Amino acid sequence: MAVYASHSAIQILLGAREEGLLTTIFGPPESLRLYSRFPGLVNKALEYSGVDCLSILKDEGHVLIPSGSIVEYVGYDAIVKSGIPYFGLKELIKWESEWDLKLKLLNEAGIPIPKTFKDPSQVDTIVIVKLPGAKGGKDFFISKTPREIEVNLEKLKENGKIKSFKDVCIQEYVVGTTMYAHYFYSPIFDRLEITGFDIRYETNVDGMKRLPPTLTKNIQPSFIVCGNIPVYPREKLLETFIEYGERFVKTTKRLIPPGIIGPFCLECVINEDLEPIVFEFSGRIVAGTNIYMNGSPYLKLYWGTEMSVGRRIAKEIRIAKDTERLTEILT
Amino acid sequence: MAVYASHSAIQILLGAREEGLLTTIFGPPESLRLYSRFPGLVNKALEYSGVDCLSILKDEGHVLIPSGSIVEYVGYDAIVKSGIPYFGLKELIKWESEWDLKLKLLNEAGIPIPKTFKDPSQVDTIVIVKLPGAKGGKDFFISKTPREIEVNLEKLKENGKIKSFKDVCIQEYVVGTTMYAHYFYSPIFDRLEITGFDIRYETNVDGMKRLPPTLTKNIQPSFIVCGNIPVYPREKLLETFIEYGERFVKTTKRLIPPGIIGPFCLECVINEDLEPIVFEFSGRIVAGTNIYMNGSPYLKLYWGTEMSVGRRIAKEIRIAKDTERLTEILT
Amino acid sequence: MAVYASHSAIQILLGAREEGLLTTIFGPPESLRLYSRFPGLVNKALEYSGVDCLSILKDEGHVLIPSGSIVEYVGYDAIVKSGIPYFGLKELIKWESEWDLKLKLLNEAGIPIPKTFKDPSQVDTIVIVKLPGAKGGKDFFISKTPREIEVNLEKLKENGKIKSFKDVCIQEYVVGTTMYAHYFYSPIFDRLEITGFDIRYETNVDGMKRLPPTLTKNIQPSFIVCGNIPVYPREKLLETFIEYGERFVKTTKRLIPPGIIGPFCLECVINEDLEPIVFEFSGRIVAGTNIYMNGSPYLKLYWGTEMSVGRRIAKEIRIAKDTERLTEILT
């Protein structure tokens, strides 16, 4: 297994070790350092230098385990070019890179999503304006004033952060509680497993809320993820979450065959009717699963023993290998 | 053991399995589905159709394990009528159904509670107005204006949500941090065990606080529980919490013999003097214990091994059965 | 091992038992009660009555395990006078008792700290005004108005809570998310281990933020710690945290030889550039580690098995004893 040095690599490496799989970590030297700090965590470290590096990993028989960082720092093109076996649905990266496609997929799955606005002038409620790419919420902003949105977008254009207004997603900001649902779809067992939930801890917004408004009126809230907090939904919401997940799996099978493989996440806000509204998804492991590095309480329900999502990945690969079904979990 | 299909059923079923007890889950078909998703979690599922269903469970030798949902969906009368053995203090349901009795019990126990107001006109501080029943905070509202409270109550009356102003509890809203203390009282060991703590995650209030006040001035905060977040109190508060729990046990023994059995919860807000003020209680397992499905850190202190409250329930029943003391834990 | 009856004593005692070390708990009788509630947790309890008590513990061959409470309730002078072996860097207590020295240590380590203001009149941003001593945030206040700060400080002086304006620390309040990083430095292995992270749960500020500003305008926020919430930082922040910790260890070795021993904490706020700013430190175990009483997920990375910081302390002592290196971990 080859893992990029960031995001959720620790639990993936630990899980691989627990399942007896060999690992190589790759990335820039300054990122590799962390992983050498923990004795025996990784079998080999490789400095990342582009496609060639992926080809070496391929030749050594590695399977690439993607995380959010791999999309950002390695990229779809390099992965395809190298031909390295990919644990997950490679094509999904393209759907995720465009807001239109991303929301279309959720919509086709019959999953409730927030309203989106094509143009700032149409905005008639609180919205969050999101930039493309998974940069952890950087430069996102909220507003309910068309004029303010236009001014902000102009600034982002001037700074080169967006090319045109079409790059951003102007999405209704549903007022409610955020909850990120983590899933694992196993092609080997044809089963969707729920693995856990988290709340994102975002700077500065989660700090600003502790200050009286008189002190914060000149501060703009920002939404940069710095960590994750565990949360456990009401049991009656669990069934809803699982059904959303099943619809998502089914729809990816239909629109992007062979469909999703392994971990994914539906990013929800729970409204006052206790209905989860999905404002985004991630087609691979999310950092929120790091909370359950010592064992997901939900995975125990399927497996009889606590395990992390990292270990669940390694287990799927090991079982697929042992039963000569590796082709079903790689794209 | 018979468990209603909701709330904290997963951990109760898992605990029963770990202690070697047979389980039946019952409820409406759409609720049963969740429990069939986890292999081997439940021995039998039964569609719920009123008292008859409870009688069948009784005939099959089941003990009913109550949760918050059972009070709401099955009800005290059906339980009594069926004669099914009940793990817990059945009579407590009646005390909980009326605000006056509920607060009286806490008061008699010498546990600090917030001020209550008989009439909106007396309100001179921030209050929370609570409706009867454990519907997860639905329609609760906060205010500090007598007039506003009256207007809101009129609306609730018109909507048929309350019959008279007397149905609601107008309670001082103590400004501080909420903390829900989970307990287990064992009649077999005559011991009160502390099992954990949580913070409720409520929509929309816990989402609204992330928005600047300029954007939220037209939004009413609501207090609908959608999940639970783990929290660990300062060690010096632990002793206070345990003493409150002991007073509660003692008072239920005096006023509602034989007194509380099994899990309960004191729902607190910690004020600036680090004093927990108890604004409500639950006479049975609370959903916050789901956080510790993989093991309560406090139960380890009594038992040498981590276990969930679900397992603690099963253990009490198993030990009572093995020592022929079942009558001491059933009502 | 001798432990003062408060703060994080439960996990320290539990850890000692797991490593086979004998323990005595000491403190005022009302504090000792909690520890007798858990069967077999402690070998002996001793009523605390000043230096003599420490001398008895010394004669019985005990090592003193300090917590935040020991600084407050026992004090540096009594510890030195008794001559009891101290697990940790005793001299650090003095550096911590003065704001100037405390921040100097961080500064010398090259760790980013917030701006401090010598005089209220210089304040040109949001600041938090902190009193001396680790009293859990009592009487701390925030402001951005020089005049308001002066008025508040005058009041604190009148109440005898401070002697002069110089006792307080007027520190820039960095708007961002707080995160408390827990470390363990092992002289035996010459290794810094990261053990976990928490967010402090503070009354009334974390309750007040749930109320609409119209209701709270006459309420002053307060910052009294009542509990801790788990949080897991983004993996790329982990390396930054570890590097800060290493600089801290190195600097204590240089300025206060032999340098820090055992657990410590860097108390951070993450700004919008994802840079942790350290506004304070604790030179011993913090209560936030109580969250991981059942096992720190990070300690597993070094030790192959989950363990609490309490157990990590006991393990260091046991290994030092077994290898006759106790002098390296005691001061």
Side-chain angles (χ1 to χ4, degrees), chain B residues 126 142 144 176-179 202 205-206 209 232-235 239 242 246 270-272 297 300 302 306, chain C residues 7-10 18 34-35 37-38 201-204 207 209-211 222 224-228 293-294:
Chain B
I126 308 173
I142 45 176
K144 60 176 179 184
T177 41
T178 53
M179 216 182 263
E202 294 172 351
V205 66
D206 287 314
K209 69 190 182 192
Y232 294 78
R234 283 173 76 159
E235 199 155 301
E239 177 63 20
I242 295 176
E246 287 178 335
I270 316 289
N271 68 18
E272 291 178 53
K300 190 182 174 186
Y302 302 98
E306 296 166 35
Chain C
H7 192 273
S8 48
I10 290 177
E18 288 166 339
L34 176 65
Y35 304 91
R37 293 178 178 280
F38 308 113
Y201 189 46
E202 293 172 351
T203 180
N204 65 13
K209 70 190 181 193
R210 306 178 97 217
L211 289 171
S222 63
I224 299 163
V225 182
C226 62
N228 304 84
M293 196 159 76
N294 272 5

Side-chain angles (χ1 to χ4, degrees), chain B residues 30-247:
Chain B
E30 66 276 17
S31 298
L32 293 176
R33 191 149 179 236
L34 176 65
Y35 304 91
S36 67
R37 292 178 178 280
F38 308 113
L41 182 63
V42 67
N43 298 106
K44 198 174 148 182
L46 188 66
E47 211 170 303
Y48 181 65
S49 55
V51 183
D52 293 351
C53 174
L54 292 182
S55 301
I56 294 169
L57 291 168
K58 186 195 164 195
D59 293 345
E60 291 179 350
H62 279 294
V63 166
L64 181 65
I65 312 297
S67 69
S69 300
I70 222 163
V71 179
E72 199 178 336
Y73 299 115
V74 177
Y76 177 77
D77 292 340
I79 296 167
V80 169
K81 208 174 158 193
S82 74
I84 188 167
Y86 180 96
F87 177 74
L89 180 61
K90 213 157 37 193
E91 281 302 296
L92 196 55
I93 299 178
K94 287 202 287 191
W95 286 67
E96 283 185 79
S97 65
E98 279 179 50
W99 284 109
D100 277 359
L101 284 172
K102 199 167 191 175
L103 295 170
K104 186 190 160 193
L105 193 62
L106 291 169
N107 212 21
E108 288 271 337
I111 292 170
I113 58 173
K115 212 171 150 181
T116 50
F117 299 89
K118 289 269 168 213
D119 194 279
S121 66
Q122 299 167 342
V123 167
D124 57 0
T125 183
I126 308 173
V127 296
I128 179 157
V129 181
K130 296 174 175 183
L131 275 66
K135 297 212 171 66
K138 198 145 169 42
D139 294 314
F140 288 16
F141 65 91
I142 45 176
S143 177
K144 60 176 179 184
T145 327
R147 185 75 202 114
E148 192 183 47
I149 298 168
E150 279 160 14
V151 170
N152 279 337
L153 287 180
E154 281 300 346
K155 266 187 228 154
L156 287 167
K157 226 168 121 182
E158 279 165 31
N159 299 340
K161 291 191 173 165
I162 55 170
K163 283 178 198 154
S164 98
F165 281 22
K166 303 216 160 144
D167 292 352
V168 303
C169 174
I170 304 175
Q171 193 176 50
E172 176 194 2
Y173 186 94
V174 179
V175 179
T177 41
T178 53
M179 216 182 263
Y180 294 72
H182 318 151
Y183 302 89
F184 186 95
Y185 176 69
S186 162
I188 299 300
F189 294 87
D190 186 18
R191 181 170 70 187
L192 177 70
E193 299 170 7
I194 189 107
T195 71
F197 299 85
D198 80 286
I199 302 168
R200 290 205 183 145
Y201 189 46
E202 294 172 351
T203 181
N204 65 13
V205 66
D206 287 314
M208 212 171 94
K209 69 190 182 192
R210 307 178 97 218
L211 288 171
T214 45
L215 291 178
T216 57
K217 56 188 151 198
N218 298 318
I219 304 174
Q220 278 299 316
S222 63
F223 300 88
I224 299 163
V225 182
C226 62
N228 304 83
I229 296 172
V231 68
Y232 294 78
R234 283 173 76 159
E235 199 155 301
K236 71 172 173 180
L237 279 172
L238 259 191
E239 177 63 20
T240 310
F241 281 122
I242 295 176
E243 281 170 18
Y244 282 16
E246 287 178 335
R247 288 186 216 165

Side-chain angles (χ1 to χ4, degrees), chain A residues 142 144 176-179 199 202 205-206 209 232-235 239 242 246 270-272 297 300 302 306, chain B residues 7-10 18 34-35 37-38 201-204 207 209-211 222 224-228 293-294:
Chain A
I142 45 176
K144 60 176 178 183
T177 41
T178 53
M179 217 183 262
I199 302 168
E202 294 172 351
V205 66
D206 286 314
K209 70 191 181 192
Y232 294 78
R234 283 173 76 160
E235 199 155 300
E239 178 63 20
I242 295 176
E246 287 178 335
I270 317 288
N271 68 18
E272 291 178 53
K300 189 182 174 185
Y302 302 98
E306 297 165 35
Chain B
H7 192 272
S8 48
I10 290 177
E18 287 166 338
L34 176 65
Y35 304 91
R37 292 178 178 280
F38 308 113
Y201 189 46
E202 294 172 351
T203 181
N204 65 13
K209 69 190 182 192
R210 307 178 97 218
L211 288 171
S222 63
I224 299 163
V225 182
C226 62
N228 304 83
M293 196 159 76
N294 272 5

Side-chain angles (χ1 to χ4, degrees), chain A residues 295-308 311 315:
Chain A
S296 147
Y298 299 102
L299 276 175
K300 189 182 174 185
L301 296 171
Y302 302 98
W303 290 90
T305 179
E306 297 165 35
M307 71 180 78
S308 69
R311 181 160 187 186
K315 195 177 272 299

Side-chain angles (χ1 to χ4, degrees), chain C residues 265-305:
Chain C
C265 176
L266 297 181
E267 313 181 345
C268 308
V269 57
I270 316 289
N271 68 19
E272 291 178 54
D273 301 319
L274 269 182
E275 187 191 26
I277 307 295
V278 180
F279 54 89
E280 227 174 290
F281 71 84
S282 297
R284 62 201 62 73
I285 190 168
V286 285
T289 61
N290 290 341
I291 294 172
Y292 307 105
M293 196 159 76
N294 272 5
S296 147
Y298 299 102
L299 277 175
K300 189 181 174 186
L301 296 173
Y302 302 98
W303 290 90
T305 179

Side-chain angles (χ1 to χ4, degrees), chain C residues 195-235:
Chain C
T195 71
F197 299 85
D198 80 287
I199 302 168
R200 290 204 183 146
Y201 189 46
E202 293 172 351
T203 180
N204 65 13
V205 66
D206 286 314
M208 212 170 94
K209 70 190 181 193
R210 306 178 97 217
L211 289 171
T214 45
L215 291 178
T216 56
K217 56 187 151 198
N218 297 319
I219 304 174
Q220 278 298 316
S222 63
F223 300 88
I224 299 163
V225 182
C226 62
N228 304 84
I229 296 171
V231 68
Y232 294 78
R234 283 173 76 160
E235 199 155 301

